[in-house]
């Protein structure tokens, strides 16, 4: 996988460490929602890392009344006021959560993850989390309860710090679009394969990428199967690596 360009949101697929003498082993947490008898529920989470808004996805969510949890950065919020207003106009569908202030990985030692330089210190991790929450507060949204860091990989010590701030950390069980780098067909296939209890991650900030078309196709396939979409705050979520307990 090539390094992501500025504003790309890399998705955790494997562990990558640079400068082995200083780097920690990183973890990519999983997240599921607890199954309920007689129901098929999945949680859709979409990262808005930077750049613009994929209106193909946003329009499909509104038109088909599909709830989603949107993880937004301070960077994205500055340039996407119109999309934020649409989301705020549909509080029954959209839950906005914290993706950090500057979209830097929540890793408290200096290293790169998929070409993105980590926060690099405990103080910088805290600044990334707190500045993301502050950026959301300016929009008038409720205080975020969830955090997902850039690349979705973390140092274990950073996980502990973030939890002490009161945030649950959002992993996932299905990588829907491979950081928005997959084609439409493969993205649709991955998302359509979701089962009861899965948490899907994809991206809503790459309007020129083919993956966005696949996100819409996959979601409509799930809806046609009769699965129900829930936001993270509306479900009982279970994450590993100490991310939700």
């Amino acid at each position: 996988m090539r390094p992501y360009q500025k504003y790309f949101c890399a998705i955790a697929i494997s562990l990558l460490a640079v400068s082995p003498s200083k780097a920690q082993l990183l973890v990519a947490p999983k997240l599921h929602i607890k199954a309920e008898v007689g129901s098929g529920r999945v949680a859709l989470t979409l990262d808005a890392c930077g750049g613009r808004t994929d209106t193909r996805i946003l329009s499909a969510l509104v038109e088909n009344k599909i709830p989603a949890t949107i993880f937004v950065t301070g960077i994205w919020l500055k340039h996407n006021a119109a999309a934020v207003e649409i989301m705020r106009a549909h509080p029954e569908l959209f839950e906005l959560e914290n993706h950090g202030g500057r979209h830097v990985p929540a890793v408290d030692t200096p290293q790169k993850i998929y070409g993105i330089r980590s926060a690099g210190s405990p103080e910088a991790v805290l600044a990334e989390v707190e500045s993301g929450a502050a950026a959301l507060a300016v929009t008038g949204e409720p205080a975020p309860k969830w955090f997902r860091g850039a690349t979705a990989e973390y140092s274990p010590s950073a996980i502990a710090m973030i939890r002490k701030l009161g945030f649950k950390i959002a992993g996932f069980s299905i990588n829907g679009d491979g950081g928005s780098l997959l084609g439409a067909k493969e993205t649709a296939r991955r998302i359509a394969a979701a089962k009861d209890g899965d948490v899907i991650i994809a991206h809503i900030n790459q309007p020129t990428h083919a993956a966005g078309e696949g996100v819409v196709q996959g979601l409509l396939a799930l809806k046609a199967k009769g699965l129900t979409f829930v936001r993270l705050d509306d479900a009982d979520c279970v994450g590993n690596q100490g991310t939700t307990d």
Side-chain angles (χ1 to χ4, degrees):
M1 181 179 292
R2 68 179 184 271
Y4 288 160
Q5 301 295 325
K6 183 180 180 183
Y7 298 143
F8 274 28
C9 192
I11 300 304
I13 300 174
S14 62
L15 296 180
L16 176 64
V18 180
S19 302
S21 62
K22 296 182 180 180
Q24 299 185 55
L25 284 178
L26 306 183
V27 296
K30 299 291 186 182
L31 185 69
H32 290 84
I33 57 176
K34 285 188 177 179
E36 291 185 351
V37 176
S39 69
R41 302 186 308 157
V42 297
L44 171 64
T45 68
L46 295 168
D47 286 2
C49 313
R52 298 297 177 178
T53 303
D54 192 331
T55 55
R56 296 169 297 180
I57 299 173
L58 182 57
S59 296
L61 297 178
V62 173
E63 291 168 7
N64 292 279
K65 297 180 171 57
I66 296 175
T69 302
I70 315 294
F71 284 89
V72 299
T73 66
I75 297 170
W76 184 86
L77 287 171
K78 288 181 180 179
H79 302 289
N80 292 275
V84 172
E85 285 306 308
I86 292 172
M87 293 175 186
R88 293 195 67 200
H90 296 277
E92 76 284 3
L93 296 180
F94 299 110
E95 165 192 345
L96 273 59
E97 296 291 350
N98 186 357
H99 197 30
R102 298 186 299 112
H103 195 250
V104 297
V107 175
D108 55 4
T109 53
Q111 55 184 293
K112 288 185 178 180
I113 304 94
Y114 301 118
I116 302 178
R117 191 177 302 278
S118 68
S121 70
E123 294 78 13
V125 169
L126 294 178
E128 171 71 358
V129 178
E130 291 175 339
S131 62
L136 260 174
V138 172
T139 70
E141 281 293 298
K145 300 176 183 177
W146 290 86
F147 176 80
R148 175 181 285 154
T151 77
E153 293 196 3
Y154 309 82
S155 51
S157 48
I159 288 176
M161 286 189 289
I162 296 165
R163 293 292 290 124
K164 286 182 179 179
L165 289 175
F167 291 97
K168 295 180 181 180
I169 297 173
F172 54 91
S173 61
I174 291 183
N175 178 351
D177 64 358
S180 193
L181 294 180
L182 296 177
K185 184 176 181 180
E186 176 61 13
T187 297
R189 184 195 69 79
R190 289 188 180 195
I191 292 176
K195 303 180 295 296
D196 184 36
D198 274 325
V199 175
I200 302 164
I201 185 175
H203 293 77
I204 196 170
N205 68 305
Q206 294 293 351
T208 65
H209 290 195
E213 178 185 345
V215 170
V216 174
Q217 293 172 355
L219 294 176
L220 294 182
L222 290 177
K223 184 180 179 182
K225 291 178 184 178
L227 271 73
T228 300
F229 295 91
V230 297
R231 301 173 302 184
L232 293 185
D233 265 359
D234 297 328
D236 191 357
C237 301
V238 180
N240 64 350
Q241 305 288 347
T243 51
T244 62
D245 54 11

